[in-house]
Amino acid sequence: MRRHLVSGIALATLAFLYLPMLAVGIYSVNRAKYGMVWQGFTLDWYSKLLQNQDIMEAARNTLFLAVVSTLIATVLGTMLAIALERYPWGKRAQNFFSTVLYLPVVTPDIILAASLVVGFSLVRAAFSGFELGMPSMIIGHVTFQVAFVTLVVQGRMKVFSRDLEEAARDLYASNADVLRRVLLPLLAPGIVSGAMLAFTLSLDDFVISFFTAGPTSTTLPLFIYASVRRGVTPEIHALSTLVFLVTVILVLFAERLSRRKSQ
């Protein structure tokens, strides 16, 4: 009885999460332009979506922002994780760094976005040529991505001990060789998982992008929000479906790659 109850709750939770996306996918291939009545199958909305220059520009901005911010956050997060785990910090310092590291994770996005706006306002006051746009969006995304990458890589580092590193040093390997030939290969699954997580977080971020974007740096979440305010169209359904599918594919790829590297 208890087993059936738990299974039912799990299925209900999955249905609650994914049925709305299934409905969006169905409406993206519905011939009807308005309303919720099924009028036949069509892929015309996807072809019109690809011909929309505003959407393509938003897609390019989104991918550029996600790729650049992920690369920066992955490098910084990996370095930070290694420094926190391998440097002999005191207990108070460890607690301080752990608290600071978790702040971007638990802080509401609206608070982080407002803080970024204040910070960029101070920068603009000091440097009159600074304007909100793609650079400010990259900085904003890296701000919260670093914490997630660091936590994932730290979790990977706790899986193995320092014996392999000490064995390499006993064989006269330098610190650079230990890092390049021992530590980084062992951390590769965690680094890839952290990078994929940072990429997906950047891909669908709205709040921080909304507060830090400029007039020429519209991303797909911002475009969808502006379009929905004017009315939901099948093109928006098609765009939302594509974004969801890309996110799912990236998550599955990262999971499979991490398992293969772990094996």
Side-chain angles (χ1 to χ4, degrees):
M1 179 65 181
R2 183 177 300 177
R3 181 179 179 182
H4 293 297
L5 179 61
V6 173
S7 300
I9 294 175
L11 291 175
T13 303
L14 291 175
F16 177 78
L17 292 174
Y18 292 106
L19 281 180
M21 284 308 307
L22 178 61
V24 170
I26 293 175
Y27 287 128
S28 69
V29 294
N30 185 11
R31 194 177 298 275
K33 186 173 183 179
Y34 300 104
M36 303 177 66
V37 179
W38 179 260
Q39 295 184 3
F41 180 87
T42 182
L43 294 177
D44 292 342
W45 306 120
Y46 286 91
S47 61
K48 292 182 179 180
L49 174 68
L50 298 177
Q51 296 172 5
N52 191 317
Q53 295 301 320
D54 293 335
I55 294 179
M56 291 297 100
E57 181 66 23
R60 285 190 290 268
N61 290 337
T62 302
L63 291 176
F64 179 82
L65 172 62
V67 170
V68 174
S69 62
T70 297
L71 289 175
I72 297 174
T74 301
V75 174
L76 295 179
T78 302
M79 294 171 59
L80 181 58
I82 295 175
L84 292 177
E85 289 295 321
R86 291 298 182 259
Y87 189 83
W89 302 99
K91 186 176 181 180
R92 290 185 177 179
Q94 283 280 6
N95 294 334
F96 171 76
F97 286 127
S98 297
T99 302
V100 173
L101 186 61
Y102 275 100
L103 279 178
V105 179
V106 300
T107 302
D109 288 347
I110 187 68
I111 303 299
L112 183 58
S115 302
L116 288 171
V117 170
V118 174
F120 290 141
S121 299
L122 296 176
V123 174
R124 186 186 299 175
F127 304 96
S128 58
F130 178 82
E131 294 292 340
L132 294 180
M134 189 58 66
S136 61
M137 296 179 73
I138 292 174
I139 295 173
H141 282 220
V142 171
T143 302
F144 69 87
Q145 286 175 312
V146 168
F148 288 94
V149 175
T150 304
L151 292 174
V152 173
V153 176
Q154 269 191 309
R156 175 62 182 172
M157 293 189 71
K158 295 181 184 299
V159 174
F160 56 87
S161 64
R162 300 186 181 183
D163 294 342
L164 295 175
E165 300 171 51
E166 297 299 332
R169 290 190 176 91
D170 291 341
L171 295 174
Y172 305 103
S174 63
N175 290 332
D177 290 332
V178 172
L179 177 64
R180 181 168 56 91
R181 298 187 177 184
V182 178
L183 191 56
L184 288 181
L186 291 173
L187 292 178
I191 295 174
V192 173
S193 299
M196 290 295 100
L197 177 60
F199 184 83
T200 54
L201 289 173
S202 175
L203 200 65
D204 64 355
D205 176 78
F206 170 77
V207 177
I208 293 177
S209 298
F210 182 80
F211 279 82
T212 58
T216 61
S217 55
T218 301
T219 60
L220 286 177
L222 299 180
F223 183 87
I224 293 174
Y225 173 75
S227 300
V228 168
R229 295 183 64 184
R230 297 191 297 266
V232 181
T233 64
E235 291 184 12
I236 299 303
H237 290 149
L239 177 60
S240 302
T241 303
L242 289 178
V243 173
F244 176 75
L245 291 177
V246 169
T247 304
V248 171
I249 291 172
L250 289 175
V251 171
L252 294 177
F253 173 77
E255 179 67 19
R256 184 175 181 180
L257 185 63
S258 298
R259 288 184 179 180
R260 182 177 299 178
K261 287 183 176 292
S262 298
Q263 293 173 358

